């Protein structure tokens, strides 16, 4: 086993920020066509080079006149002028307005020579060849003089201006079609790990292959921060290959990120490449997660042969990688692109529980956020699934920084949440409990829900502790929760069986036969229902439940989700699994019914009227369509 | 003159919202590659089709063991197991762990058959062929079982979810590389008006040509709202051409917007096309600006031959067009794309002044916003330049809705500002007053400034009225303002002259000679300085200033900006212009010095310590570099 790098002298997080800030990521300014300029940042001041408008422009439909000719005119005493011609927008005037004359003029047209004002058409009458003017105008009335909007030579937009539609409009007015903007930093992403496979490609789990999560996640984060991501092929932990890849990325990019592998040997290889082919500025940061973060520079073959590219090594676990990217790297990418931190990137919420802390280093605690109906600030609760879980990516919304000297976060304390993305939408509903296919369909009809399938017992426990809005529970539960029952349904449950078990007719056959079984885990309400049925069968035969359980091969082999036992049967790994008729039919498997269980939608007593809770209750009350698609289902 | 459409029966704004909401803009869902999915919205629920991980996965570097073999082991009483092999990430295990044995394992590797736990390497010692285990582990320790992160068949992401980096990450984990997303509505933009020229093309102002502002502005707005903009060629007011263009746009787009022309005849043509080739749902809305808004449908040659495309006609003036787009159309485009209204699209501020109102229809009042150092809420002030001014686009930040029955907005009142874009950055500094090239360079060094070149007197008046942070004034001013002088500079002024006036040596020659002169407008401090010099000359000769002014051909011909007289000279429109030495030299013109004038940077007395004010004062105090680039400048 290779010697492993130790992370003994961890740098304080501030030092990591400083080290990254000291890297030079900003590419030179570039020029982009106006229609690609939205969202970019002006690299230099833009002064007007032309007058806008470029001529004296009529701002009304009407008649161009010499103002002096109209003096004294009013409704009761109009003046009459000779109509000598007409000027329309986009035409060079072919008339001159002399004293006593006027010319028809359209909005936007050039005020003809001689004229110095426009009388709006509503205050005139066409007498045929002559025009009656019923209003006196002053010189300049209804005329925008050349340069009156923007004068040539004047300051139009300053450097650093973000180009939104209105700035695009001003640049259009000035005739600018190529815009000098800050360059977007090119960010190379090198994923390490022999086990990684790109999404869309074939996966061989028997070889321990997994899909590469970090590359696309970080690439999306780079794009969001104003950078241009470039994905490189996966690198294993071969030194030469890694060196070649990192060198290529350094040549082509302003910043190189490595990420993906959690294996110490791959990290070691990167470490050695940076040390030998660049400068390692920082190795290990006193932050959780993200301790093994690297910051440095990589030699690159720039134009002058001496350039270096910036380098940051991210942790391997997806949530850790995104957290460290978001906290340390994204701000640097944005600075290089000239973009401000989005205003929506941080929100303030109220911490839901008391959370002790004694880590001795900065903790970037993943948290979920929940919109509340009766309070301005959303609820914030810790999400602790272990940083290896991909699902933490979507079960948490961002991170709260907990400083090393913090002893605990108090319930009710105001906390700032740095969202994983400025576009993260705070969930309107938090549900917990049993997983169920009808429920999944009902959730589709709620705007911005989050549901954590923690099982019935755990769901009710969490509802009692006050964070979620609703809990869904099935089976015998002993929890006593102060909740309102918003509705319920029944589902037919039993054994999902393969051909190997086609002579199974009931629970007794499973106990007595020689079948490979897959059970649900103890969190599932369905498991509790199964155990109760087993208890009943045991009582009938004056045996103990444990005795029967012992006789089921695979009783202790538990899996997490409602379809998992059935899928094990489908894959030939088992002959029978605990599951639902709906699942059996959707997967084309046989089913042995053992009964119906009731699934109840509980709401926290004080949140029955929360709009998103009502939406879910309404969806359930009106779920005939969804039920029909699920054999064995009935809304109670 | 064609008969003009009257807008007599204006629809209430709610009716316009409803009419637009009733149009069908949403294209069918589409499938996009994962790396283009960021920012898009899921069209349907995504359930996991695979287990993540797809195998029992080691979550630590260490040794795969049978947990039972380690029972009882601790630091003082380790157990020793035979090392039978190694499994690395990305490899199919080629060992089986039997009782008494162990296998080296890397994080992420497949737990080999027989093993049910991993002991982390830190709690082991390699004795060479044998491994000393110093810790007891339970089954499942440091192992993530197949499907424990995400189980096949479970709900991963719901429909309507906006795809941010973390969702991209979850989809990656599931191996999804094509994502079903809501379609982006295609929005065609037809600009009308014979006088419009695309940015980048040659402009002929003598024909009354102007650059097309609305097309690019609205296209950027469409893209920002999640639509795909398509620009069509400009249409004049020819019926056949307009009909052909609108039909083509309707065939190709979900929504067609027309915009650009303010001329009644072009609007009439569109009106007729919609009436004859579609349905006009709504004609004229009781809102200012935007009265002449049209809402309807256009027949299009859809697949079934009967489809219609949605149509909205926007007003012609840029600020009006953007305001109406932002208020009525952008929300519909977002809805069609499945995107929520951005959280940053509306901010609350404090109205700075008392503003009377009595329009009888909904007013979308353009306002500027100013960040304050000593208050949470920004200051909001009305911007009233007339909707024809393109500069209003960048001098206003958004609009405040003022309802028809509002009598006035009070100073200090809280108002909601709908920003022109969620990316609009609220200015940190508001300056007003004299326009000056040194000042323009200093502003480049301040983050997010806004400067309105309203002239010295008007600048000081506005400073006294309490909205701006700073005012810049030159020349003799009679305003008495409670302000702090933060710094000053001098600039050399005089006559910018062409070869025609090369014998002009001083002001007396201008008065006595026969030259075409261009003056600055009365708002300029420089003009006041010029008039004072003229007064002095008049006194010397015992004449009146008016007498001298009368003798200057063009004394009353005034232009707006500091370079404008010089540019008139450069264009051969005048022989001499009032201006600065710096301008003359930068444009390559001759210069007759008439003196130096002092330009003073005033700050509102209570905002001297505002950070952005300090930034400007610091820039001035350290402006040697900028001064050197400007002949005739000196920092006092």
């Amino acid at each position: 086993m290779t010697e492993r790098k130790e992370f003994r002298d961890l740098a304080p997080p501030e030092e990591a920020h400083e080290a990254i800030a000291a890297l030079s990521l900003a590419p030179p300014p570039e020029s982009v066509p106006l229609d690609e300029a939205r969202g970019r940042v002006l690299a230099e001041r833009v002064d007007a080079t032309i007058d806008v408008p470029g001529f004296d422009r009529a701002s009304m439909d009407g008649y161009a006149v010499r103002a002096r000719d109209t003096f004294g005119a009013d409704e009761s005493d109009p003046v009459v002028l000779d109509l000598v011609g007409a000027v329309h927008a986009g035409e060079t005037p072919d008339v001159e307005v002399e004293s006593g004359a006027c010319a028809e003029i359209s909005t936007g047209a050039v005020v003809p020579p001689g004229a110095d004002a426009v009388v709006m058409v509503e205050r005139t009458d066409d007498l045929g060849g002559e025009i009656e003017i019923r209003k006196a105008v002053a010189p300049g009335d209804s005329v925008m003089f050349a340069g009156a909007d923007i004068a040539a030579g004047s300051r139009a937009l300053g450097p650093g201006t973000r180009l939104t539609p209105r700035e695009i409009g001003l640049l259009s007015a000035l005739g600018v079609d190529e815009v000098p903007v800050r360059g977007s930093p090119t960010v190379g992403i090198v994923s390490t790990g022999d086990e990684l496979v790109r999404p869309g490609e074939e996966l061989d789990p028997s070889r321990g292959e997994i899909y590469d999560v970090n590359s696309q996640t970080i690439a999306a984060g780079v794009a969001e921060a104003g950078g241009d991501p470039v994905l490189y092929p996966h690198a294993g932990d071969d030194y030469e290959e890694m060196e070649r890849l990192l060198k290529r990325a350094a040549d082509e990019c302003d910043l190189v990120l490595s990420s993906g592998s959690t294996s110490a040997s791959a990290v070691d290889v990167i470490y050695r490449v940076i040390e030998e082919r660049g400068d390692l500025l920082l190795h290990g940061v006193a932050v959780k997660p993200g301790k093994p973060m690297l910051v440095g520079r990589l030699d690159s073959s720039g134009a002058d042969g001496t350039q270096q590219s910036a380098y940051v090594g991210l942790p391997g676990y997806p949530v850790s990688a995104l957290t460290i990217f978001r906290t340390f790297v994204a701000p640097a990418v944005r600075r290089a692109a000239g973009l401000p931190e989005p205003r929506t990137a941080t929100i303030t919420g109220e911490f839901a529980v008391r959370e002790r802390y004694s880590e001795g280093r900065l903790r970037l605690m993943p948290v979920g956020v929940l919109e509340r109906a009766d309070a301005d600030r959303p609820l914030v609760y810790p999400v602790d699934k272990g940083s290896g879980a991909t699902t933490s990516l979507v079960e948490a919304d961002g991170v709260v920084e907990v400083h090393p000297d913090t002893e605990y976060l108090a319930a009710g304390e105001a906390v700032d949440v740095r969202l994983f993305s400025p576009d993260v939408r705070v969930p309107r509903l938090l549900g917990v409990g049993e997983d169920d296919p009808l429920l999944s369909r009902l959730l589709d009809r709620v705007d911005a829900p989050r549901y954590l399938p923690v099982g019935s017992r755990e769901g009710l426990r969490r509802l009692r502790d006050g964070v979620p809005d609703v809990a869904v529970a099935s089976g015998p539960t002993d929890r006593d929760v102060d909740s309102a029952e918003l509705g319920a349904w029944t589902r037919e449950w039993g054994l999902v069986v393969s051909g190997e078990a086609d002579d199974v007719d009931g629970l007794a056959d499973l106990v007595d036969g020689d079948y490979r079984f897959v059970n649900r885990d103890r969190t599932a309400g369905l498991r509790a229902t199964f155990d109760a049925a087993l208890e009943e069968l045991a009582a009938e035969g004056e045996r103990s439940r444990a005795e029967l359980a012992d006789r089921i091969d695979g009783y202790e082999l538990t899996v997490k989700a409602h379809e998992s036992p059935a899928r094990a049967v489908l894959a030939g790994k088992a002959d029978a699994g605990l599951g639902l008729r709906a699942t059996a039919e959707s997967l084309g498997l046989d089913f042995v019914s053992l009964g119906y269980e009731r699934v109840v939608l509980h709401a926290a007593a004080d949140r029955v009227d929360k709009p998103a809770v009502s939406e879910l209750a309404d969806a359930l009350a009106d779920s005939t369509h969804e039920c029909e698609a699920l054999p064995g289902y009935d809304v109670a």
Side-chain angles (χ1 to χ4, degrees), chain A:
Chain A
M1 184 164 287
T2 35
E3 201 191 322
R4 288 156 198 282
K5 272 288 148 198
E6 296 288 334
F7 300 95
R8 291 195 194 282
D9 299 315
L10 296 177
E14 303 72 42
E15 211 171 291
H17 280 295
E18 285 161 20
I20 293 176
L23 298 171
S24 112
L25 310 186
E30 56 183 328
S31 181
V32 296
L34 185 65
D35 57 7
E36 295 169 17
R38 186 181 70 85
R40 301 299 293 269
V41 175
L42 267 192
E44 52 191 67
R45 185 179 67 239
V46 173
D47 290 336
T49 56
I50 59 168
D51 279 338
V52 178
F55 54 92
D56 297 341
R57 185 168 192 250
S59 48
M60 287 282 184
D61 286 343
Y63 295 91
V65 299
R66 295 191 168 211
R68 191 175 296 264
D69 287 352
T70 69
F71 290 176
D74 60 19
E75 292 289 337
S76 60
D77 188 15
V79 303
V80 175
L81 299 174
D82 287 338
L83 181 64
V84 295
V87 196
H88 297 292
E91 287 177 4
T92 307
D94 58 359
V95 290
E96 189 160 341
V97 174
E98 309 205 324
S99 186
C102 70
E104 182 187 336
I105 195 162
S106 315
T107 305
V110 182
V111 175
D116 59 7
V118 170
V119 184
M120 61 195 294
V121 67
E122 287 82 355
R123 308 302 291 272
T124 66
D125 273 307
D126 188 345
L127 308 178
E130 287 181 326
I131 304 298
E132 191 177 75
I133 306 287
R134 303 197 310 269
K135 182 177 192 272
V137 290
D141 276 6
S142 299
V143 175
M144 183 184 265
F145 287 113
D149 190 358
I150 314 169
S154 62
R155 176 188 178 87
L157 294 170
T161 304
R162 180 118 184 241
L163 300 174
T164 71
R166 66 199 188 131
E167 284 87 9
I168 303 281
L170 185 62
L171 292 168
S172 293
L174 296 173
V176 174
D177 66 338
E178 285 283 331
V179 190
V181 294
R182 301 277 296 256
S184 299
T186 304
V187 181
I189 298 163
V190 175
S191 274
T192 60
D194 288 319
E195 76 278 25
L196 298 183
V197 172
R198 289 249 195 260
E201 292 176 9
E202 198 69 39
L203 191 75
D204 181 358
S206 74
R207 294 186 54 216
E209 290 180 347
I210 56 170
Y211 284 115
D212 175 13
V213 173
N214 287 350
S215 290
Q216 293 284 3
T217 309
I218 300 302
V222 165
E224 193 172 78
D228 287 331
V230 181
L231 297 193
Y232 288 91
H234 292 137
D237 49 11
D238 175 73
Y239 184 89
E240 268 73 37
E241 190 194 355
M242 183 71 80
E243 186 183 33
R244 193 182 50 74
L245 257 182
L246 288 178
K247 168 134 186 25
R248 191 181 133 204
D251 286 349
E252 296 171 350
C253 302
D254 300 300
L255 167 65
V256 178
L257 301 175
S258 71
S259 167
S261 187
T262 48
S263 97
S265 54
V267 171
D268 280 355
V269 166
I270 291 180
Y271 178 90
R272 277 165 47 213
V273 174
I274 307 295
E275 276 206 320
E276 288 166 31
R277 301 291 168 210
D279 302 321
L280 189 64
L281 302 176
L282 205 134
H283 183 201
V285 180
V287 56
K288 176 190 177 176
K291 198 169 67 167
M293 180 181 170
L294 304 177
V295 180
R297 294 195 201 90
L298 271 167
D299 298 337
S300 72
S301 312
D304 60 356
T306 59
Q307 287 190 332
Q308 288 191 313
S309 162
Y311 167 79
V312 177
L314 300 173
Y317 283 135
V319 176
S320 306
L322 185 58
T323 299
I324 293 299
F325 174 81
R326 174 74 183 78
T327 307
F328 292 94
V329 183
V333 173
R334 270 198 299 269
R335 270 197 308 275
L339 295 171
E341 167 97 358
R343 274 174 287 150
T344 50
T346 303
I347 59 171
T348 302
E350 191 178 306
F351 209 63
V353 296
R354 182 183 160 102
E355 176 87 348
R356 284 178 52 83
Y357 183 68
S358 53
E359 297 269 349
R361 57 189 165 118
L362 181 72
R363 182 174 175 205
L364 301 171
M365 180 172 63
V367 294
V369 185
L370 176 60
E371 195 180 289
R372 295 193 286 183
D374 52 357
D376 276 350
R377 288 176 166 173
L379 209 57
V380 176
Y381 56 92
V383 173
D384 200 357
K385 298 191 71 176
S387 42
T390 317
T391 36
S392 297
L393 279 174
V394 292
E395 292 188 4
D397 296 302
V399 295
V400 168
E401 284 202 6
V402 188
H403 288 271
D405 52 0
T406 304
E407 278 182 34
Y408 64 90
L409 292 177
E413 189 170 338
V415 288
D416 285 336
V417 180
R418 192 178 293 136
L419 297 175
F420 283 135
S421 156
D423 289 337
V424 159
R425 178 138 181 241
V426 170
R428 296 175 60 240
L429 177 80
L430 178 62
V432 292
E434 192 73 7
D435 64 335
D436 179 88
L438 174 61
L439 176 66
S440 183
R441 286 164 171 76
L442 299 180
L443 289 168
D444 289 354
R445 289 166 53 189
V446 178
D447 187 27
R450 166 172 288 149
Y451 190 79
L452 309 178
V454 294
S456 293
R457 285 163 53 105
E458 174 69 6
L460 291 173
R461 189 190 68 75
R462 293 199 190 184
L463 190 68
R464 192 195 57 200
D465 288 353
V467 177
D469 300 313
V470 297
V472 175
S474 72
T477 53
D478 49 5
R479 294 279 167 188
D480 185 20
V481 182
D482 176 25
S483 67
E485 191 175 314
L486 295 185
W489 61 96
T490 55
R491 56 184 189 180
E492 189 175 6
W493 70 277
L495 302 175
V496 181
V497 294
S498 70
E500 296 297 311
D502 62 1
D503 49 352
V504 173
D505 211 32
L507 200 46
D509 297 332
L510 183 72
V511 173
D512 298 331
D514 183 18
Y515 305 105
R516 293 169 302 158
F517 179 66
V518 179
N519 207 345
R520 284 297 310 281
D521 55 297
R522 288 180 194 284
T523 62
L526 185 58
R527 164 67 179 268
T529 297
F530 177 68
D531 283 348
L534 209 57
E535 185 88 48
E536 208 174 303
L537 182 66
E540 284 169 16
E542 290 180 11
R543 292 177 292 182
S544 74
R545 189 184 86 187
E547 211 172 317
L548 299 197
D550 257 358
R551 300 182 59 170
I552 301 176
D553 175 18
Y555 177 84
E556 294 297 345
L557 181 62
T558 65
V559 289
K560 210 188 100 170
H562 73 89
E563 280 195 9
S564 301
R567 285 179 180 262
V569 172
L570 190 68
K573 292 179 185 165
D575 307 313
L578 177 60
L580 305 174
R581 174 182 289 282
T583 305
E585 296 202 6
S586 84
L587 295 178
L589 293 164
D590 290 332
F591 181 71
V592 178
S593 179
L594 295 177
Y596 290 81
E597 74 165 358
R598 189 157 179 267
V599 189
V600 179
L601 173 62
H602 300 268
D606 57 349
R607 301 200 203 158
V608 173
D609 296 328
K610 184 175 174 176
V613 172
S614 306
E615 281 171 37
L616 182 60
D618 292 349
L620 175 56
D622 173 36
S623 59
T624 319
H625 178 75
E626 282 85 357
C627 270
E628 277 168 4
L630 291 167
Y633 269 74
D634 194 26
V635 173

